[in-house]
Amino acid sequence: SQKIQKSIRNIRNLGFFKSVNINESQGFEPDKTFLDIEVEEQSTGELSLGVGVSSADGPLGDLTITERNLLGKGQKLSLGLRLSARTQEIDLSFTEPYFLDRNLSAGFDLFSKTTDLQDESSFNQKTIGFTLRVGYPLSEKWRGKLSYNLKQDSIADFASEVSSFIRSEKGENILSSVSHEVSLNELNSFIFPSDGYYLKLAQTLAGIGGTKHFFKNTIDYSFYKQLTENILGSFDINQGVV
């Protein structure tokens, strides 16, 4: 019965179905049982629109389009646009859950952001870059991920009164880094957890080319517990050293 419940949980964690039920019937032999799985599909596409006013950025708008089951293959595609009086940002993300027909997830992220900091810092900043990532299972509950990140930061358009310290940062800085993380998932649900914990250990090495050099270690821990029928408690710890 534990394995049956685990199978139901794994199907629900896909996020493709509204309901999952298993019906049992007698098999061809007395010690055999047929398990018929009934699922009800749900929409896997999301469209998010947001507008607001920020004391820092003024009027702002946000548009995000996400498809979690692209072409019925379980692929995830997301496009995000954020616009304000001071910031223009675009993000594109794609994930293939079974790369080369193996139990490997692979994907990429593209991003570009332009920020007008003339009022507070007397310069403009532009960031462009991409990330390549591959995820792989270490065991039933442990999983690893390897990624490469390349990002270029440009600082320009200085005002005449800008300080010499800020002016010395003029030009481009390139961050080229490799990251590796290991995670343990003991949650009862990936989407709406109400019991269990999640642990992630990550390391990032910058300096594979580029102009930035550092080594960063982080640890993230999240714990969830259903306190009452309508109240869920969570506890998080995040710590790191560079």
Side-chain angles (χ1 to χ4, degrees), residues 38-56:
E38 295 182 356
V39 296
E40 181 182 355
E41 294 188 19
Q42 65 179 3
S43 174
T44 56
E46 299 174 3
L47 172 63
S48 173
L49 296 171
V51 294
V53 178
S54 166
S55 59

Side-chain angles (χ1 to χ4, degrees), residues 49-207:
L49 296 171
V51 294
V53 178
S54 166
S55 59
D57 293 335
L60 53 88
D62 182 281
L63 169 64
T64 303
I65 302 174
T66 302
E67 174 54 61
R68 293 180 284 109
N69 189 20
L70 185 66
L71 302 178
K73 297 181 179 181
Q75 299 167 337
K76 182 177 180 180
L77 179 65
S78 177
L79 174 64
L81 300 172
R82 282 165 287 281
L83 301 174
S84 72
R86 299 177 56 189
T87 303
Q88 297 82 46
E89 184 174 0
I90 180 171
D91 298 283
L92 176 64
S93 176
F94 175 79
T95 301
E96 165 58 62
Y98 291 100
F99 185 59
L100 300 177
D101 291 329
R102 298 177 180 270
N103 193 15
L104 300 172
S105 65
F108 65 84
D109 306 293
L110 304 176
F111 50 88
S112 175
K113 182 178 181 180
T114 302
T115 307
D116 182 350
L117 299 172
Q118 292 291 339
D119 292 339
E120 62 182 33
S121 302
S122 302
F123 65 86
N124 295 333
Q125 182 175 0
K126 183 177 182 179
T127 300
I128 59 173
F130 68 88
T131 300
L132 301 177
R133 43 190 165 76
V134 176
Y136 53 92
L138 297 173
S139 67
E140 183 178 349
K141 297 180 179 179
W142 287 90
R143 190 167 183 85
K145 185 173 76 171
L146 182 66
S147 60
Y148 173 74
N149 178 263
L150 182 64
K151 182 175 70 171
Q152 175 182 288
D153 289 309
S154 303
I155 298 177
D157 301 326
F158 293 98
S160 58
E161 68 276 8
V162 70
S163 69
S164 58
F165 175 77
I166 295 181
R167 192 176 295 276
S168 66
E169 295 291 316
K170 182 179 180 180
E172 299 176 350
N173 287 300
I174 297 177
L175 173 64
S176 176
S177 63
V178 175
S179 301
H180 181 260
E181 67 179 50
V182 177
S183 60
L184 170 63
N185 195 325
E186 289 281 4
L187 300 174
N188 63 341
S189 171
F190 294 173
I191 304 173
F192 298 112
S194 60
D195 188 69
Y197 64 90
Y198 180 82
L199 174 67
K200 183 176 73 173
L201 306 172
Q203 299 81 36
T204 299
L205 175 63

Side-chain angles (χ1 to χ4, degrees), residues 24-35:
E24 300 182 15
S25 59
Q26 180 61 50
F28 294 129
E29 299 179 12
D31 61 342
K32 304 295 182 182
T33 300
F34 286 120
L35 300 178

